[in-house]
Amino acid sequence: MEIIVGIILAFSALAAAAYVHRKISVFTDSSAKAFLSRIILIAVGTAFGVVSSLYVADIPQKLIAVLTGFGVAHVPAAIILLLKAKRGERQS
């Protein structure tokens, strides 16, 4: 049961990551800024996922922890982009 909950959480967090990487170019005024933002988010997400995986023992749980950590690091950016879209803000 705990694996199923972890998988659901991982897919939810990865959906936030996909949303961010799809929408980030809409709200940035240059491709260089969008690229830098993506690289930073990927690096932080990967680091967060790897550190999260250190706290579990099984290989499947480690993979779920990495994916969840990667996605969870994108959640704040997803919320910001969602609010920007809802307010109709321009590129910055």
Side-chain angles (χ1 to χ4, degrees):
M1 183 67 170
E2 140 183 340
I3 293 286
I4 294 171
V5 172
I7 290 171
I8 292 169
L9 184 60
F11 278 122
S12 301
L14 288 174
Y19 175 78
V20 168
H21 287 281
R22 197 174 120 237
K23 292 290 187 177
I24 203 161
S25 60
V26 173
F27 293 103
T28 52
D29 57 359
S30 72
S31 60
K33 285 182 183 178
F35 180 74
L36 181 62
S37 298
R38 284 186 177 110
I39 293 298
I40 290 170
L41 282 169
I42 289 170
V44 170
T46 302
F48 196 75
V50 169
V51 170
S52 297
S53 73
L54 297 176
Y55 293 97
V56 291
D58 298 341
I59 297 296
Q61 289 179 342
K62 283 187 181 288
L63 178 62
I64 291 170
V66 168
L67 294 175
T68 303
F70 180 83
V72 165
H74 288 77
V75 170
I79 292 170
I80 290 167
L81 291 178
L82 188 64
L83 290 173
K84 283 183 133 191
K86 194 167 187 115
R87 292 160 84 182
E89 291 189 23
R90 297 184 338 216
Q91 294 179 336
S92 56

